[in-house]
Amino acid sequence: MISRWLRGLVNRAVLFVVAAVVLTALVVALVGSLLSKSELEQQAAKQVETIAQIVAGELDDKLAQRLETLSHVAKGLTMSEAAFEVRAKVVMRRQTALQHLFDGVYLIDAQGKVIAEHPEDLELVGLDISNRSYFRRAKEQLTPLISEPYRSYDQGRPALMMAAPVFDHKQRFIGMLGGAVVLSGEHLIEEFSDIRIGETGYLAIVTHGGTVLANGRTGEVMQPINDANPLLKEAVGGFEGTARTRGSEGESIILSVQQMSEVPWFVAASWPAREAYAPASRIKDAFLWTLLVVILLVVPVTMWRFRRLMAPLGELGQQVRERHLGVRSNPVGVSGSSEIGQVAEIFNMVMDERDDVLSSLAEREAFFRSLTRGAPIGIVQADVLGRIEFVNPVFEGIIGLTLAELTGSHLFDCVTANDRDAVIHGWQRALEKQEVFRGRYQLQGPNAGTPVWCQVMTAILETPEKVMGTITVVRDISHELAVEDALRDEQLRAESILGVMQDGVLMADTGGVIRYANQAAARFLGAGGEYVGKNVFELVGIDHEDQALNHEWFLDRDDLDSLYVTLRNANGDLFDVDLSMIHIRQGRQNERLVFVLRDDTERRRQEERLSWEATHDSLTQLLNRRAFTAVLNKCLDDMTRQDASSVLILIDLDHFKPVNDEGGHLLGDEMLRRLSDLFKESVRQSDAVARLGGDEFGIILPACGMVRAKALAERIRAGVEALKIEHEGRMLGVTASIGVTELLPTDREPKDVVARADEGAYAAKSKGRNRVVVIPAPEPEQ
């Protein structure tokens, strides 16, 4: 019924008008919807981002306020360790401010035992918390910190600990002041998790470890993040921003992530897009109802008007039918619109031209045959059954038969017996589906010798009414196949050469998939020979100057020569590699990357050895003067970032010449080596010990403080005095004159500090040697 209705031109015209109206309206609606949606999306994104920023900022302020208050109280608890333990409960009762800021306040001694608490109903006094990470970190770092969330001893409730170390008057660690905040309590997070964005939007607070601290939608606390949203996964790694994405239930949401500065957490604000775009949806619904009313009014009026306009067209159709059947010999013509008159005129012209076309068909066929005779490829015309009607001379030469001999025979008779069944099946299938048939087969005529390899392509000759036959193009590819065989032999020869090379050679496509690799490359890949078809950047990691290189990095570069990289395979093997790369068909189809990998481990080890020798004294294995100056420069640069001052100790040996004179240089060298071992054993691993000259040594103590540095200098002086070497029944030894000075903010260059320490060493010698002299900081200039 619908098909018959659509046959009417009037009905089609009405349908076209209605479709045009609907399409125009829909385009206008779509553009308006997109514009309003874009504006709403920007406003919604800004609103979500603002809420996330406010919550993150306020949460940071609360954490900072509590940590600052806790640190301030801890600094005021300076006392001896014994007094700290005795007065712990009294001190705890005085901390009213902390008790309002934290859910639990604790005093912990240096061994990790709780010695006072508030509130006391938890009964944690005496509990050993030395295994808690926040206690170990506070004891090691000696700075206030905020712990990772953990399960507390109070019914396993999730909490975090703010810890501040407590020192005695000598700045020694005697314990810790801790403030616990329950994550589900009223002091910190609960008020933020209840915030709503619109009707169903919510906030979530998550740590960089992937632990949910607050979830306004589910109320989860201390649960691993289970949302597959890629934006949240990026936020765990430090991402910050606002974007439209998909929620855990697949719905479209607007998500804003704001990182916090006080702790490794982030705030995620989520608002469903359907709620944000609700005003635009309501406008769209109203528009669609209006469009429906307009269509119901337009259709009847359009039908009536079009039937009036198309009445002359029916009369024209009757005249055309009569002219086609031969009943009418006069040209057709009716009154009506100019378009209908133009149709009649065109029909008359077509009928006149039809006779001319029929008369020229014979001429065109003759022209086709003469044109194909001069073509450089074989051409065969056949009917729908595959019987040959025409061939050109090139095909005659391939088969060894003339056109007269081939006419009426089957095209498939020219195909060798091995390929004939496949050709018949493919040709018939292409004819049924009206497709182009292509293939590569051997052709041979009864009078020909060796079969000829040919590229064959058959297309259908058809009119709108029927299929008339086929036209087949045949190209002799015997020479091309011979060239391919020669190229294949050359490829095998090249692969044999690459197989015996010591350097690894592999070829990959633009996606990193390995297409070829020689045996030497297998040692680098660690894939046991199963590497072709795998991605080279999944089998190995390539690092250069602390940067991981992927296939996109190599694609963006031109050819590389001798790039020094570190290669790590799946077996955990590390190689220092001299890598070269060249592009094949760069920027074109089937582009390839060829990598040459040369093991450069031995040369790099030689460079590392030379580098070590350039910065160390060969006799004592200590730093030399150049390296010592570099370390001192670094300490001067780091002074503003250190809580304690750095100190320089300069050691000048006393009476070393008599040891050399009496025992010889070998004994003197042995004395220097033992003294070097004494110096290294006396200091921390972070301290720098150097031999500055023959019997002169320097020690740099970063962030040590003068009190500890002076005690260390005395211990070194005593150790030098006690060190003796027996020689021919006599005990030989030396003493040390030691100068000590503090690194000052006014020191611009290492020579300023060395000059003060040297002054101390000279003062020690002038006072009788074997002593430590501290050079105090100079008075600041007025």
Side-chain angles (χ1 to χ4, degrees):
M1 182 181 299
I2 295 176
S3 177
R4 287 198 302 271
W5 187 82
L6 288 176
R7 290 175 187 173
L9 186 59
V10 173
N11 298 336
R12 293 184 188 179
V14 171
L15 183 62
F16 174 77
V17 171
V18 173
V21 171
V22 172
L23 181 61
T24 303
L26 289 178
V27 169
V28 173
L30 179 61
V31 172
S33 176
L34 291 176
L35 292 176
S36 61
K37 201 171 192 179
S38 175
E39 183 67 24
L40 285 172
E41 183 172 359
Q42 293 178 10
Q43 295 177 3
K46 189 64 177 177
Q47 182 176 350
V48 172
E49 182 177 355
T50 302
I51 292 174
Q53 288 175 346
I54 292 173
V55 171
E58 188 169 348
L59 194 53
D60 269 330
D61 291 342
K62 287 195 172 189
L63 289 172
Q65 176 192 4
R66 283 165 171 75
L67 187 61
E68 182 179 357
T69 303
L70 192 73
S71 177
H72 177 73
V73 173
K75 289 180 180 179
L77 298 181
T78 302
M79 63 185 72
S80 66
E81 186 172 3
F84 180 68
E85 295 181 359
V86 172
R87 299 177 57 192
K89 294 186 177 180
V90 177
V91 170
M92 178 59 68
R93 285 195 290 269
R94 294 177 179 175
Q95 306 309 320
T96 307
L98 295 181
Q99 294 169 8
H100 287 289
L101 291 175
F102 295 95
D103 294 295
V105 183
Y106 307 94
L107 283 174
I108 302 162
D109 64 13
Q111 287 72 40
K113 184 175 70 175
V114 178
I115 58 177
E117 65 174 347
H118 176 84
E120 298 180 352
D121 55 359
L122 296 178
E123 298 180 356
L124 299 181
V125 174
L127 179 67
D128 184 5
I129 55 98
S130 59
N131 61 336
R132 289 287 194 180
S133 62
Y134 58 80
F135 177 78
R136 294 198 302 269
R137 288 174 54 203
K139 188 173 181 179
E140 292 172 0
Q141 299 177 6
L142 301 180
T143 57
L145 56 87
I146 300 175
S147 75
E148 290 291 325
Y150 64 94
R151 292 286 181 180
S152 69
Y153 291 107
D154 181 12
Q155 300 178 357
R157 293 194 297 172
L160 62 85
M161 179 69 73
M162 296 186 185
V166 180
F167 302 98
D168 62 9
H169 294 286
K170 295 183 179 181
Q171 293 299 306
R172 289 180 299 187
F173 178 78
I174 63 172
M176 186 188 81
L177 175 61
V181 178
V182 177
L183 297 182
S184 59
E186 61 181 6
H187 284 291
L188 192 62
I189 294 181
E190 184 179 18
E191 60 180 287
F192 300 116
S193 62
D194 293 336
I195 293 176
R196 285 289 176 269
I197 306 173
E199 294 181 1
T200 59
Y202 64 94
L203 291 174
I205 302 174
V206 187
T207 70
H208 283 185
T211 302
V212 178
L213 303 183
N215 190 317
R217 180 172 62 88
T218 64
E220 292 178 337
V221 178
M222 286 293 286
Q223 295 294 326
I225 186 171
N226 57 6
D227 199 327
N229 193 303
L231 218 59
L232 291 179
K233 293 182 179 179
E234 293 180 14
V236 171
F239 167 79
E240 183 176 75
T242 304
R244 183 175 175 180
T245 182
R246 292 282 177 184
S248 59
E249 298 178 357
E251 64 174 342
S252 178
I253 61 172
I254 300 172
L255 182 65
S256 179
V257 174
Q258 295 296 325
Q259 300 288 342
M260 296 177 60
S261 58
E262 292 295 327
V263 287
W265 303 350
F266 64 88
V267 176
S270 175
W271 195 9
R274 56 177 174 73
E275 186 177 324
Y277 305 151
S281 300
R282 289 193 294 269
I283 294 174
K284 180 183 68 176
D285 294 341
F287 182 84
L288 292 176
W289 281 109
T290 304
L291 177 62
L292 179 60
V293 172
V294 171
I295 292 174
L296 293 176
L297 294 176
V298 168
V299 169
V301 176
T302 307
M303 289 282 290
W304 171 78
R305 183 57 183 165
F306 272 31
R307 288 190 184 278
R308 291 286 304 274
L309 292 174
M310 293 300 170
L313 194 59
E315 182 182 351
L316 177 62
Q318 181 63 31
Q319 294 182 11
V320 168
R321 186 179 298 106
E322 293 173 355
R323 176 73 186 271
H324 176 70
L325 296 175
V327 177
R328 182 186 180 92
S329 58
N330 296 328
V332 299
V334 296
S335 60
S337 65
S338 60
E339 289 81 1
I340 295 177
Q342 187 177 4
V343 170
E345 182 180 352
I346 292 174
F347 176 77
N348 293 327
M349 183 176 61
V350 169
M351 292 298 293
D352 293 338
E353 290 177 352
R354 184 180 66 171
D355 296 335
D356 296 337
V357 170
L358 291 175
S359 64
S360 66
L361 283 178
E363 298 177 3
R364 295 191 179 190
E365 184 177 357
F367 174 76
F368 167 74
R369 291 176 180 261
S370 63
L371 182 66
T372 55
R373 287 184 177 277
I377 57 177
I379 298 176
V380 183
Q381 180 183 346
D383 60 16
V384 293
L385 299 178
R387 292 174 296 195
I388 297 176
E389 296 179 347
F390 170 78
V391 298
N392 69 343
V394 175
F395 187 79
E396 292 177 341
I398 294 174
I399 301 301
L401 296 175
T402 64
L403 172 61
E405 295 171 323
L406 290 171
T407 301
S409 64
H410 278 277
L411 177 62
F412 313 122
D413 294 338
C414 301
V415 183
T416 58
N418 294 334
D419 297 333
R420 188 170 299 152
D421 291 340
V423 172
I424 293 174
H425 177 73
W427 185 84
Q428 291 176 342
R429 185 171 179 271
L431 195 65
E432 292 173 358
K433 296 188 175 183
Q434 298 185 353
E435 298 175 343
V436 176
F437 171 67
R438 294 181 176 86
R440 178 183 292 186
Y441 305 103
Q442 288 182 297
L443 304 184
Q444 186 179 30
N447 299 330
T450 305
V452 179
W453 277 101
C454 296
Q455 186 78 39
V456 179
M457 182 179 71
T458 299
I460 299 172
L461 296 175
E462 60 179 338
T463 65
E465 292 80 12
K466 64 177 181 177
V467 176
M468 301 177 61
T470 61
I471 186 76
T472 302
V473 177
V474 179
R475 185 168 63 89
D476 187 350
I477 60 171
S478 302
H479 177 69
E480 295 178 10
L481 293 178
V483 172
E484 288 181 3
D485 291 339
L487 290 175
R488 192 177 296 107
D489 293 339
E490 289 298 326
Q491 181 179 358
L492 292 175
R493 187 178 297 107
E495 290 179 355
S496 300
I497 296 172
L498 292 174
V500 299
M501 287 181 61
Q502 297 298 318
D503 295 341
V505 179
L506 64 87
M507 180 172 64
D509 59 21
T510 54
V513 177
I514 299 174
R515 300 302 182 184
Y516 170 79
N518 65 355
Q519 291 296 325
R523 183 171 65 93
F524 295 101
L525 298 175
E530 298 295 332
Y531 40 75
V532 175
K534 296 183 179 179
N535 194 301
V536 63
F537 297 100
E538 295 177 357
L539 295 176
V540 300
I542 303 175
D543 298 323
H544 174 64
E545 295 180 353
D546 298 328
Q547 178 187 3
L549 308 183
N550 55 20
H551 73 281
E552 294 177 351
W553 188 92
F554 286 101
L555 284 175
D556 293 339
R557 300 298 187 279
D558 293 329
D559 294 349
L560 300 174
D561 184 22
S562 295
L563 179 69
Y564 296 109
V565 301
T566 301
L567 185 144
R568 179 186 294 102
N569 61 28
N571 298 333
D573 301 327
L574 282 175
F575 299 94
D576 292 326
V577 174
D578 181 357
L579 182 145
S580 299
M581 181 200 70
I582 60 174
H583 289 267
I584 298 178
R585 296 188 295 275
Q586 185 173 11
R588 293 179 292 169
Q589 188 177 9
N590 296 327
E591 180 180 353
R592 295 290 186 264
L593 303 177
V594 177
F595 298 91
V596 179
L597 309 173
R598 181 177 295 110
D599 194 343
D600 202 37
T601 305
E602 187 59 34
R603 187 190 65 79
R604 293 199 186 183
R605 287 177 181 171
Q606 184 71 9
E607 287 184 354
E608 290 174 358
R609 184 182 64 79
L610 293 174
S611 176
W612 187 91
E613 291 177 353
T615 57
H616 288 74
D617 176 57
S618 59
L619 174 63
T620 62
Q621 310 300 306
L622 299 178
L623 296 177
N624 58 19
R625 182 177 288 273
R626 179 187 299 173
F628 175 81
T629 304
V631 174
L632 191 54
N633 265 319
K634 186 176 183 303
C635 279
L636 290 173
D637 293 339
D638 294 343
M639 283 182 58
T640 57
R641 296 186 291 272
Q642 295 175 345
D643 295 334
S645 61
S646 299
V647 178
L648 171 63
I649 297 177
L650 201 62
I651 304 171
D652 196 349
L653 300 181
D654 305 324
H655 312 299
F656 181 70
K657 187 174 183 303
V659 175
N660 262 341
D661 293 343
E662 296 183 25
H665 288 291
L666 292 179
L667 185 64
D669 290 347
E670 178 63 21
M671 174 65 76
L672 291 176
R673 280 192 289 269
R674 292 194 183 184
L675 289 172
S676 299
D677 293 339
L678 170 65
F679 298 154
K680 287 188 288 186
E681 293 169 358
S682 300
V683 300
R684 304 168 298 182
Q685 289 187 350
S686 59
D687 300 333
V689 183
R691 183 186 179 194
L692 305 180
D695 58 352
E696 185 179 5
F697 298 84
I699 300 176
I700 301 173
L701 307 173
C704 176
M706 181 56 76
V707 175
R708 296 181 184 176
K710 186 175 180 182
L712 175 63
E714 285 290 349
R715 189 161 64 250
I716 291 174
R717 183 203 61 76
V720 173
E721 184 180 12
L723 180 63
K724 302 294 181 183
I725 297 180
E726 183 179 359
H727 177 69
E728 296 180 356
R730 293 185 57 193
M731 301 301 293
L732 301 178
V734 298
T735 58
S737 296
I738 301 176
V740 182
T741 188
E742 220 176 355
L743 275 67
L744 304 175
T746 56
D747 293 326
R748 299 303 179 197
E749 296 183 8
K751 65 181 182 179
D752 300 334
V753 187
V754 173
R756 287 201 306 275
D758 202 28
E759 181 184 347
Y762 277 115
K765 283 186 179 292
S766 65
K767 292 180 180 181
R769 297 185 172 86
N770 192 26
R771 65 188 63 224
V772 176
V773 175
V774 177
I775 300 299
E779 293 293 333
E781 296 181 2
Q782 297 298 325

